[in-house]
């Protein structure tokens, strides 16, 4: 337990040391957020509610998206896959403790740093300047915090699965590039999934992409129960899937040495 | 100059051949670049159809802006991808740029032609397809004048994005470290110029019409293609200004690049 806590802290500190990247990232999020805000204000000029969302819901979506961007599409997306390809990953399997948990905890340390330095400041500033729909009670805010952390966990779990493709093929990046556009749309990063046609929306709502962005948005805008339950269910499912993949991969691991 | 052109063509051909050695990888990258445009447009259409209009523009009219902006961005990145901060920073840090400076070719010509990325052709072609689809849906009848305006928008917006890339690369010579802040203009600017300019507040509008004139280059010619009147302050006749303004912006980018090279001191490696 102490070892895992140390890993969590190490991950947190590692990510916090990139100051310049943090400033550039915050600026990028702020810019896209401002443009998206203008788009939604213009869209809602003549309408109060569309597909169950009003302008406050839409603006909350915008700023949760900007806050979570670097958590979901972490800049270190391919580190695991590269370690697998170079063979460094074998050291992971030799260390004491559970390899999956160790990776998860270290990654969570890094994403928690992003949550603290990007997500929370972005959401706080936006909520002071714009009519966002954020929980007004401490309990509600705690649920939102839990939902953001769960989004970070699912983000690691999915990245782990995509990265593990490197166990089977060195062409993992081409494969991912072809899938990425679909993930990008289905996770709600293009527009809220609420605007999809009903059959598509139903399909997407049952996918593991919902916990990444749409679930925290729903927790923020008031539909906390179902959204949080979905996130927890996916964390458990992806935990099993991740361990299964790791077990299969370890059995057929070939180290490309040099 | 003609002698130089031959050298650059051979460099470009060699860089394309080197990526074509892995045809599956090249195909995947190109298709993926086109897919991302298609998906982004599909998502926006789904949303706009729910609302019916934005700033008085119907969905296909907005999609025309998306198409023009993606085409221009793809065109600029086919040649300018290496100028992006992370890649430029690597050229400087590894000392590769020291060698570039000793070669009997212009550094810019070398950097641009040695790493042509055909992946962005996918983005460009998907953008062009989006333009065709959008104008068909918007009921635009193509005339030589309208086609000329669309070409003007693409060429000038691409020149502006290239100018931003040049200026950012010049900056990287000084800082060595890559700064992703330039993405605000390359990707954020494309996103902003994909919606009609009247929806933005005066600061954003001024910034993207007169400072980094991507809005001017995309929006004003699009008014002509659609046969629309511009909002107050952005009349359609401004189309005459698009080429000179884009040219001036590109020239400024070139100056920043040269100033950056003059300050280049290498990294000692």
């Amino acid at each position: 337990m102490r070892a895992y806590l140390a890993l969590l802290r190490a991950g947190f500190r590692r990510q916090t040391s990139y100051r310049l990247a943090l400033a550039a990232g915050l600026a990028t999020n702020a810019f896209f957020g401002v443009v998206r805000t203008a788009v939604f204000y213009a869209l809602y000029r003549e309408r109060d509610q569309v597909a169950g969302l009003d302008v406050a819901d839409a603006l909350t979506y915008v700023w949760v998206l900007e806050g979570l961007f670097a958590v979901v599409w972490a800049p270190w997306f391919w580190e695991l896959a590269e370690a697998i390809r170079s063979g460094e990953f074998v050291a992971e399997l030799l260390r004491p403790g559970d390899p999956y948990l160790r990776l998860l905890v270290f990654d969570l340390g890094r994403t928690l740093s992003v949550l603290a330095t990007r997500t929370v400041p972005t959401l706080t500033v936006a909520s002071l300047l714009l009519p966002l729909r954020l929980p007004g009670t401490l309990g509600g805010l705690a649920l939102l915090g839990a939902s953001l952390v769960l989004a970070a966990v699912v983000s690691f779990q999915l990245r782990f699965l995509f990265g593990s493709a490197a166990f089977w093929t060195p062409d993992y990046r081409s494969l991912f590039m072809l899938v990425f556009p679909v993930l990008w749309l289905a996770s709600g990063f293009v527009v809220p999934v609420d605007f999809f046609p009903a059959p598509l929306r139903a399909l997407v709502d049952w996918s593991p992409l919902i916990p990444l962005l749409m679930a925290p948005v729903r927790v923020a805008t008031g539909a906390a129960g179902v959204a949080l339950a979905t996130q927890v269910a996916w964390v458990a499912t992806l935990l099993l899937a991740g361990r299964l993949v790791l077990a299969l991969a370890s059995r057929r691991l070939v180290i490309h040495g040099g | 100059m003609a002698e130089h052109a031959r050298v650059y063509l051979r460099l470009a051909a060699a860089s394309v051949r080197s990526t074509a050695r892995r045809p599956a990888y090249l195909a995947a990258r190109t298709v993926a670049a086109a897919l991302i445009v298609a998906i982004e447009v599909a998502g926006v259409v789904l949303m706009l159809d729910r609302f019916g209009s934005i700033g008085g523009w119907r969905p296909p009219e907005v999609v025309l802006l998306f198409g023009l902006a993606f085409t221009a961005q793809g065109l600029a990145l086919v040649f300018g991808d290496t100028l992006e901060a992370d890649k430029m920073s690597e050229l400087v840090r590894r000392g590769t740029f020291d060698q570039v400076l000793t070669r009997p070719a212009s550094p810019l010509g070398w950097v641009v032609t040695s790493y042509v990325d055909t992946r962005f052709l996918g983005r460009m072609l998907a953008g062009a397809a989006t333009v065709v689809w959008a104008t068909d849906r918007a009921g635009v009848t193509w005339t030589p004048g309208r086609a000329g305006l669309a070409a003007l928008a693409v060429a000038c917006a691409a020149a502006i994005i290239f100018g931003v890339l040049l200026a950012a690369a010049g900056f990287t010579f000084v800082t060595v470290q890559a700064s992703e802040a330039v993405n605000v203009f390359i990707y954020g600017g494309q996103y902003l110029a994909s919606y009609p300019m009247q929806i933005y507040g005066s600061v954003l509008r001024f910034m993207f019409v007169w400072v980094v004139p991507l809005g001017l280059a995309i929006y004003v010619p699009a008014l002509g293609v659609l046969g629309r009147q511009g909002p107050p302050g952005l009349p359609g006749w401004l189309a005459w200004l698009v080429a000179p303004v884009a040219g001036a912006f590109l020239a400024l980018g070139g100056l920043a690049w040269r100033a950056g090279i003059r300050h280049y001191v290498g990294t000692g490696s």
Side-chain angles (χ1 to χ4, degrees):
Chain A
M1 193 62 212
R2 281 249 303 279
Y4 291 115
L5 268 179
L7 269 172
L8 189 79
R9 261 202 307 274
F12 190 94
R13 255 189 263 130
R14 164 157 184 183
Q15 207 49 38
T16 315
S17 57
Y18 297 114
R19 300 256 165 75
L20 199 74
L22 172 66
L26 281 170
T28 309
N29 289 140
F31 179 82
F32 272 93
V34 166
V35 174
R36 282 175 195 265
T37 297
V39 167
F40 277 114
Y41 266 131
L43 282 171
Y44 278 101
R45 188 158 298 158
E46 281 147 36
R47 294 156 200 84
D48 291 332
Q49 232 191 26
V50 172
L53 301 185
D54 63 13
V55 71
D57 296 321
L59 296 185
T60 310
Y61 156 83
V62 166
W63 291 97
V64 172
L65 183 160
E66 295 306 335
L68 279 177
F69 195 92
V71 173
V72 174
W73 312 107
W76 60 92
F77 203 104
W78 293 114
E79 255 181 35
L80 175 70
E82 275 151 18
I84 292 169
R85 202 172 69 154
S86 70
E88 280 165 39
F89 184 76
V90 80
E92 251 348 294
L93 295 178
L94 299 173
R95 287 185 184 134
D98 180 81
Y100 187 86
L101 269 187
R102 258 197 339 259
L103 290 170
L104 167 67
V105 168
F106 186 66
D107 197 272
L108 189 61
R110 297 175 83 173
T111 41
L112 283 178
S113 155
V114 179
L115 282 175
T117 54
R118 283 178 76 164
T119 319
V120 172
T122 301
L123 269 176
T124 309
V125 173
S127 70
L128 291 175
L129 300 174
L130 296 162
L132 301 194
R133 179 155 294 142
L134 292 178
T137 61
L138 272 181
L141 283 173
L143 287 182
L144 177 58
S147 179
L148 293 174
V149 173
L150 285 169
V153 173
V154 172
S155 148
F156 162 78
Q157 293 179 308
L158 289 176
R159 280 184 278 119
F160 176 84
L161 289 177
F162 286 119
S164 334
F167 284 118
W168 282 271
T169 167
D171 254 342
Y172 53 90
R173 281 189 98 139
S174 322
L175 286 175
F176 181 77
M177 269 190 283
L178 290 171
V179 192
F180 171 72
V182 178
L183 304 180
W184 182 237
L185 181 72
S187 52
F189 275 87
V190 180
V191 298
V193 303
D194 307 66
F195 295 140
F196 292 176
L200 182 60
R201 159 133 197 225
L203 190 70
V204 165
D205 264 341
W206 286 101
S207 81
L209 301 168
I210 287 300
L212 296 174
L213 170 63
M214 293 317 294
V217 171
R218 287 172 192 163
V219 172
T221 54
V226 180
L228 275 170
T230 314
Q231 284 184 304
V232 172
W234 274 115
V235 166
T237 314
L238 292 169
L239 180 75
L240 290 177
R243 281 176 175 284
L244 183 69
V245 165
L246 190 60
L248 285 175
S250 313
R251 220 180 305 156
R252 67 175 303 287
L253 184 63
V254 179
I255 306 298
H256 296 278
Chain B
M1 192 61 217
E3 186 64 20
H4 278 144
R6 268 212 356 252
V7 173
Y8 293 140
L9 271 180
R10 292 183 65 171
L11 277 170
S15 87
V16 171
R17 269 204 309 278
S18 75
T19 47
R21 288 296 291 275
R22 290 171 68 195
Y25 183 62
L26 180 66
R29 278 163 71 87
T30 311
V31 171
L35 262 181
I36 195 86
V37 171
I39 283 280
E40 187 100 29
V41 168
V44 167
V45 168
L46 287 179
M47 179 171 81
L48 292 179
D49 276 348
R50 290 270 180 159
F51 287 86
S53 71
I54 177 165
W57 284 43
R58 289 176 297 132
E61 297 176 314
V62 178
V63 174
L64 171 67
L65 297 175
F66 268 88
L68 292 172
F70 273 127
T71 314
Q73 190 192 43
L75 177 61
L77 288 174
V78 167
F79 298 104
D81 184 42
T82 322
L83 297 172
E84 286 202 68
D86 51 336
K87 282 155 209 158
M88 210 59 219
S89 165
E90 196 170 316
L91 278 185
V92 174
R93 273 184 289 126
R94 290 201 169 171
T96 315
F97 202 76
D98 288 352
Q99 300 163 23
V100 175
L101 286 174
T102 62
R103 290 193 177 124
S106 103
L108 179 61
W110 189 87
V111 167
V112 167
T113 52
S114 299
Y115 305 96
V116 173
D117 197 338
T118 42
R119 163 170 68 126
F120 289 107
L121 279 179
R123 174 165 288 231
M124 205 180 126
L125 292 176
T130 306
V131 170
V132 172
W133 182 80
T135 47
D136 180 62
R137 288 279 298 266
V140 169
T141 34
W142 281 104
T143 63
R146 286 180 167 168
L149 280 171
L152 176 80
V154 169
C156 291
I160 293 161
I161 295 173
F162 199 81
V164 171
L165 284 164
L166 276 177
F171 196 63
T172 308
F173 287 128
V174 181
T175 60
V176 178
Q177 215 174 0
S179 168
E180 308 294 328
V182 63
N183 286 350
V184 163
F185 295 104
I186 297 163
Y187 296 94
Q190 169 262 318
Y191 189 77
L192 179 139
S194 297
Y195 285 97
M197 295 303 286
Q198 64 266 28
I199 69 168
Y200 301 116
S202 50
V203 175
L204 266 189
R205 214 196 300 184
F206 181 82
M207 178 85 190
F208 280 85
V209 171
W210 299 115
V211 184
V212 185
L214 268 175
L216 181 77
I218 300 281
Y219 178 77
V220 173
L223 288 172
V225 174
L226 295 166
R228 291 191 74 109
Q229 297 294 318
L234 268 178
W237 60 259
L238 280 179
W240 294 106
L241 275 182
V242 170
V245 168
F249 190 88
L250 182 60
L252 283 177
L255 285 178
W257 161 267
R258 295 182 94 161
I261 288 191
R262 228 171 294 130
H263 283 96
Y264 175 75
V265 288
T267 51
S269 47

